[in-house]
Amino acid sequence: MTEEATKKKKPAARKKKPAARKKAAPRSNGGSSGPAGGHLVIVESPTKAKTLVRYLEPVLDGAVTVKASFGHVRDLPESGGLGVDTEKAFEPTYKILKGSAKVVSELKSAAKRKDQVWLATDLDREGEAIAWHVVYAIGLANGSVDARVRRVVFAEITPEAIAEAFRHPRDIDKPLVDAYQARRVLDRLVGYKLSPLLWKKVRRGLSAGRVQSVALRLVVDREREIQAFVPVEYWTIEVPFETQDDKQRFSSSLHSVAGEKIEIGSSDDATRHVEAIRAAGTYRVDAVRKRQQKQNPPRPFITSTLQQEAARKLSFSARKTMVIAQQLYEGVELGPEGQIGLITYMRTDSVHLAPSAVEEIRELIKTRYGETYLPEKARSFRSKKGAQEAHEAIRPTHAARHPDDVARYLEPDQQRLYRLIWERTIACQMNEAMFDQTSVDIGAPDQNGHLLRATGRVMLFDGFLVVYREGRDDEEDEAEGRLPDLAEGQMLDLVDIIPAQHFTQPPPRFTEASLVKALEENGIGRPSTYAATLSTLVDREYITVDQRRIFPTDTGMVVTDLLVEHFPQIVDLKFTADMEEELDEIARGHKDWPEVLRTFYDPFERLLEKKEKEITRDDLIKETTDELCPKCGGPMLVKLGRYGKFLSCANYPDCKGTRQVDGKERPEPQEVPGEKCDECGAPMLLRHGRYGEFLGCSRYPDCKFVRSKTIGGKCPKCGEGKLSQRRTKRGKPFYGCTRYPECDYALWTRPMDDPCPKCGGTMMPDEEKGGVCLSCGHAQATEPATTGAPTSE
């Protein structure tokens, strides 16, 4: 069913018969076309239609019918061929989408009866394409567009924005539609031409894509860096001191020797420096440097930064962030206020804020936080090159609508995302945070000139931090403490000298947030497509996501290696970024889209024909080994299956002997009592993957929910979650609560497998007591376990 809402103007009351005055026509969710004459307004979704209709009565004269297209109504054919005539200027053949025929019929019927048809789809490239497809699908265009059709765009669903949009309609933006067609046809050519080759040469069900394959290459390249990384030993020397008069303690570290920074690479070197510092005997403050440091507020959200921050602070996937943002934009029922759009349009690369919005934000800051938090002038931000400055950043439609005021009307995830957007928007117009940064040099008057340095940072004014602190990809605490009030020449007492061994760490694996950031920095794709790109990589089983870290699968690595070796242009970062710029030039009306595609396609087609003959399946996925088949004694080969690489007998199909790559038999998945899938409620199975044990839904592949295996009992801090192994940005393992980020409890030491028999809490191994509960303190003797962590008796 389509979403329809109809309103009529109330005519003036007759003097003699006031009771005969007409009432406004009721809003309808049915499929009727509404009254004859008047206006038909077409949007993408029923929710948007419901929000929009309440603002149209004072804007348009006559009856108003609002209908939804339910997104795209036409596209290239799903089956039966490429759908693009590569010989005829790449002319596409569009078909009505399966399931859209009834919607198109209803829109066509409604349009025939109306004096004016308004296309009010979203203001970006995709929205323009939907509007263009609709007018052709319902017969209002055949070369030229019917004169009754007008296009309106708005960045927020508010009375003011709607009135302004309908006062200034325009035609469909042909260059923007051309850019959409170029992008759609280009993606079709790459996907439809390369994917069959992957099916033949690797395995069925795989795909390649102009953006997805480059994103996958970034993940695979990072994994190879990690695999090739060789840790290097280094040492640091921490030196705590105490003031002689009031016994205030603080810490310093060895900074340089004889004026040069040093690298300590061994225990012997560290010992030599420790002995030299200790031998000095007396220690004094040589220099004190103080300076004030400003921390500027972050810029308002654009699509990519919203996805990144929601991933860091809310643990949302890019897809989830965009779904919830769409709900907030299109409108939510706010009790007596009715259906209200809470944020501006969420697909944008502009950091511009409307002057009226800035004025409202500044007034709120002054009223709620005080004038000390309000800059003398409004802050303005410069968008990156090529951004649509006519668009706005993502912000609340009304700053005065505080998250607490709407919380009772929102779903929990809607509430969290709205609060994130509100806080970031308010913070971007506030004063800087101010810090007192102190650096102290401490000299040991020895012959070697060892210089120790202590640093401290103290907040003087919280500024925008009273509202918002930006998230981080790593989980390390960078806070610096307060130093005592020290003066040059002041003598200090040595407390201790602490050498510590470290090893350099490999680069961290990508998170969704850091991968989105890398794609944006390299100009790959557009932020509005990142959510779909990451979802495709997961659906194709090219990557897995564990504790927010992205791992490539064996299949993903094989596909990437094939593309890098045989189709390097497709996965080249610069080429892909340059193509994005070409598509932007088409949108600006500066380039002809068939010419751009011709430049790419002709050499691509020739290369594809050549590689079809050259590439063999065995070259890609068969590796010889020294392993012997456990069944027939024949040699074993490394092959690629649905779940990654495995060892298979070279005598297959006569012999069907197989093993895991590590030589072990793969354990069968086992049901874990009491564990249910968070998404569908089915039992969870203990599975064994490339990176260890994990829990996966028993309904796989229909449901692909996974989570790490939990250890021990209840979380000692929140009492609700359990502990599971995670890794820091640098790959160091630790054990954190499964309810993170709501609960941030973490341990470096592995807890015991079994929960506390007294309270169900988490037990930790103890040399004297065997095991001690972190919640109730219960101690229990244990016997040494043969493998893994200690277990209670």
Side-chain angles (χ1 to χ4, degrees):
M1 296 290 288
T2 59
E3 172 73 28
E4 180 189 89
T6 303
K7 279 202 170 189
K8 289 182 180 178
K9 286 280 190 176
K10 296 180 180 178
R14 297 175 184 175
K15 292 181 180 179
K16 293 183 179 180
K17 297 180 179 180
R21 186 168 68 181
K22 293 182 181 179
K23 294 182 180 180
R27 299 175 187 174
S28 167
N29 288 327
S32 70
S33 303
H39 305 267
L40 171 65
V41 180
I42 300 174
V43 296
E44 299 96 331
S45 77
T47 304
K48 187 175 176 180
K50 187 177 179 182
T51 307
L52 184 64
V53 69
R54 63 201 302 263
Y55 301 134
L56 291 176
E57 182 175 356
V59 176
L60 299 174
D61 293 324
V64 178
T65 301
V66 182
K67 280 185 168 288
S69 71
F70 292 84
H72 279 282
V73 296
R74 296 197 314 174
D75 198 3
L76 296 172
E78 293 182 12
S79 59
L82 183 62
V84 177
D85 191 337
T86 57
E87 301 298 323
K88 197 176 178 182
F90 299 96
E91 182 179 316
T93 299
Y94 294 112
K95 301 288 186 182
I96 301 297
L97 287 170
K98 186 178 180 181
S100 293
K102 185 177 180 182
V103 173
V104 170
S105 176
E106 290 175 352
L107 291 175
K108 184 182 292 188
S109 175
K112 287 178 181 178
R113 299 161 55 89
K114 299 300 179 183
D115 299 325
Q116 197 85 49
V117 177
W118 303 85
L119 304 171
T121 49
D122 290 342
L123 74 165
D124 59 1
R125 183 188 70 245
E126 208 67 22
E128 205 72 22
I130 291 173
W132 178 77
H133 277 305
V134 164
V135 295
Y136 275 87
I138 67 177
L140 292 182
N142 186 13
S144 61
V145 178
D146 192 298
R148 294 178 295 151
V149 175
R150 302 297 285 154
R151 174 82 168 109
V152 290
V153 294
F154 39 85
E156 56 182 312
I157 305 177
T158 60
E160 302 81 9
I162 299 307
E164 180 68 15
F166 279 81
R167 277 197 297 268
H168 299 94
R170 61 168 173 80
D171 295 330
I172 290 176
D173 188 333
K174 188 60 167 58
L176 202 55
V177 172
D178 287 345
Y180 156 79
Q181 292 200 91
R183 201 177 294 265
R184 184 70 188 92
V185 170
L186 179 61
D187 289 344
R188 182 73 160 209
L189 293 173
V190 173
Y192 259 58
K193 295 290 186 176
L194 267 183
S195 297
L197 183 139
L198 295 177
W199 284 40
K200 294 176 188 175
K201 309 299 182 181
V202 184
R203 67 172 172 82
R204 294 181 63 82
L206 303 181
S207 71
R210 184 178 57 87
V211 175
Q212 78 173 51
S213 296
V214 180
L216 178 60
R217 181 181 183 175
L218 288 173
V219 174
V220 169
D221 285 351
R222 178 62 58 86
E223 190 68 24
R224 293 260 162 77
E225 284 184 69
I226 294 170
Q227 292 173 350
F229 182 81
V230 178
V232 176
E233 180 184 10
Y234 71 98
W235 289 70
T236 57
I237 298 177
E238 184 183 353
V239 186
F241 285 104
E242 202 171 64
T243 56
Q244 293 182 346
D245 49 359
D246 53 4
K247 302 301 180 184
Q248 292 191 65
R249 187 171 291 190
F250 65 97
S251 188
S252 68
S253 59
L254 178 59
H255 178 265
S256 60
V257 176
E260 294 186 6
K261 292 201 72 169
I262 59 166
E263 293 182 0
I264 306 173
S266 68
S267 174
D268 291 342
D269 285 348
T271 301
R272 179 166 53 82
H273 288 296
V274 168
E275 291 173 351
I277 295 169
R278 195 182 303 279
T282 58
Y283 310 91
R284 67 168 180 266
V285 176
D286 284 349
V288 178
R289 292 177 296 278
K290 290 187 177 182
R291 65 184 180 92
Q292 283 198 351
Q293 185 183 50
K294 293 182 179 180
Q295 184 176 338
N296 290 319
R299 294 143 67 94
F301 279 133
I302 59 175
T303 304
S304 59
T305 54
L306 177 63
Q307 291 173 355
Q308 292 168 45
E309 197 71 343
R312 295 184 189 112
K313 300 187 83 168
L314 308 180
S315 298
F316 286 1
S317 67
R319 173 189 277 180
K320 182 175 181 177
T321 298
M322 297 309 290
V323 167
I324 297 172
Q326 183 99 26
Q327 296 166 358
L328 296 176
Y329 165 70
E330 292 187 341
V332 180
E333 282 284 348
L334 297 185
E337 286 192 78
Q339 189 97 354
I340 299 292
L342 290 178
I343 65 169
T344 55
Y345 191 56
M346 63 285 158
R347 293 184 181 90
T348 177
D349 56 2
S350 170
V351 291
H352 169 70
L353 293 174
S356 59
V358 172
E359 186 177 334
E360 184 185 5
I361 293 165
R362 286 175 59 81
E363 185 60 35
L364 181 139
I365 293 170
K366 181 179 177 181
T367 304
R368 192 177 187 93
Y369 300 100
E371 292 195 8
T372 54
Y373 288 89
L374 186 66
E376 186 177 333
K377 294 182 179 180
R379 292 185 181 276
S380 59
F381 303 91
R382 181 177 295 179
S383 300
K384 66 178 184 179
K385 180 184 176 184
Q388 299 281 333
E389 285 298 342
H391 299 177
E392 275 198 78
I394 304 168
R395 62 167 176 83
T397 51
H398 289 294
R401 193 172 279 120
H402 190 277
D404 291 345
D405 298 336
V406 299
R408 64 184 181 275
Y409 302 114
L410 304 182
E411 296 293 329
D413 286 340
Q414 291 176 335
Q415 185 184 142
R416 294 170 71 199
L417 191 65
Y418 179 70
R419 183 176 297 277
L420 185 72
I421 294 168
W422 187 91
E423 290 176 348
R424 174 90 163 216
T425 305
I426 302 304
C428 82
Q429 289 298 320
M430 297 181 84
N431 267 323
E432 309 95 337
M434 299 295 296
F435 297 87
D436 193 354
Q437 185 85 29
T438 304
S439 177
V440 177
D441 288 347
I442 301 165
D446 63 335
Q447 298 298 318
N448 294 320
H450 284 70
L451 177 69
L452 309 169
R453 179 165 290 174
T455 58
R457 187 178 188 231
V458 178
M459 183 185 291
L460 301 176
F461 175 62
D462 53 7
F464 74 92
L465 294 174
V466 72
V467 176
Y468 183 82
R469 290 177 183 267
E470 200 163 9
R472 295 158 49 99
D473 285 319
D474 59 74
E475 298 170 22
E476 298 168 14
D477 186 4
E478 287 190 346
E480 293 179 315
R482 182 188 296 269
L483 292 176
D485 193 11
L486 302 171
E488 288 187 21
Q490 183 175 346
M491 302 306 293
L492 302 169
D493 291 335
L494 178 69
V495 175
D496 200 357
I497 305 175
I498 308 168
Q501 183 189 40
H502 310 274
F503 290 91
T504 55
Q505 297 294 322
R509 289 184 175 89
F510 285 111
T511 61
E512 279 208 13
S514 59
L515 182 56
V516 165
K517 185 178 181 181
L519 291 170
E520 185 181 31
E521 288 176 345
N522 286 285
I524 307 301
R526 285 294 174 261
S528 59
T529 66
Y530 292 158
T533 297
L534 296 176
S535 296
T536 299
L537 293 178
V538 172
D539 292 343
R540 292 287 183 267
E541 298 178 355
Y542 288 159
I543 63 172
T544 59
V545 182
D546 184 20
Q547 296 294 340
R548 299 198 287 178
R549 298 289 168 181
I550 298 175
F551 297 79
T553 63
D554 288 331
T555 302
M557 297 182 86
V558 168
V559 168
T560 296
D561 289 345
L562 181 151
L563 295 176
V564 169
E565 181 178 353
H566 299 285
F567 300 92
Q569 192 178 48
I570 296 297
V571 288
D572 180 75
L573 272 66
K574 186 176 185 307
F575 170 79
T576 308
D578 289 345
M579 180 58 72
E580 288 293 342
E581 182 58 35
E582 296 254 43
L583 295 169
D584 288 344
E585 285 291 290
I586 295 169
R588 299 181 192 112
H590 298 162
K591 288 200 172 184
D592 180 63
W593 73 270
E595 289 183 11
V596 171
L597 293 189
R598 181 64 63 195
T599 303
F600 162 79
Y601 181 71
D602 287 351
F604 171 67
E605 185 181 35
R606 290 192 294 269
L607 180 62
L608 195 66
E609 291 174 358
K610 178 184 176 186
K611 294 300 179 180
E612 281 270 12
K613 300 171 184 175
E614 289 182 358
I615 302 173
T616 65
R617 181 180 174 87
D618 287 355
D619 290 341
L620 293 174
I621 58 174
K622 280 190 180 179
E623 304 172 29
T624 59
T625 71
D626 295 329
E627 296 284 333
L628 298 179
C629 175
K631 290 189 174 181
C632 72
M636 300 200 80
L637 305 173
V638 178
K639 292 187 177 181
L640 182 68
R642 180 177 180 84
Y643 303 106
K645 291 185 176 180
F646 67 99
L647 293 177
S648 173
C649 182
N651 295 322
Y652 178 87
D654 296 329
C655 176
K656 297 183 180 179
T658 62
R659 269 186 188 167
Q660 293 186 133
V661 173
D662 60 9
K664 299 177 182 176
E665 297 291 335
R666 183 181 294 275
E668 290 295 320
Q670 296 181 340
E671 186 171 329
V672 182
E675 293 284 358
K676 300 293 183 184
C677 175
D678 291 0
E679 293 191 358
C680 72
M684 295 290 280
L685 302 180
L686 178 63
R687 297 181 181 274
H688 297 75
R690 181 179 179 188
Y691 300 102
E693 294 180 334
F694 66 96
L695 297 180
C697 181
S698 57
R699 291 185 59 245
Y700 178 88
D702 295 328
C703 177
K704 296 182 179 179
F705 178 77
V706 297
R707 68 166 175 260
S708 296
K709 177 187 174 185
T710 56
I711 303 166
K714 295 180 293 185
C715 170
K717 185 173 181 178
C718 70
E720 296 180 30
K722 290 190 174 184
L723 302 186
S724 65
Q725 188 183 73
R726 295 157 57 193
R727 291 184 181 273
T728 66
K729 180 180 179 182
R730 298 297 180 184
K732 184 177 181 181
F734 69 98
Y735 302 86
C737 181
T738 53
R739 292 185 63 246
Y740 179 84
E742 285 83 3
C743 178
D744 59 0
Y745 184 79
L747 294 167
W748 290 115
T749 305
R750 190 187 196 280
M752 298 168 66
D753 286 338
D754 294 334
C756 171
K758 189 173 181 181
C759 72
T762 293
M763 301 281 289
M764 291 297 291
D766 184 277
E767 290 184 2
E768 296 181 0
K769 300 177 182 178
V772 176
C773 178
L774 296 175
S775 298
C776 70
H778 173 72
Q780 182 169 324
T782 61
E783 295 179 0
T786 55
T787 60
T791 54
S792 54
E793 290 181 301

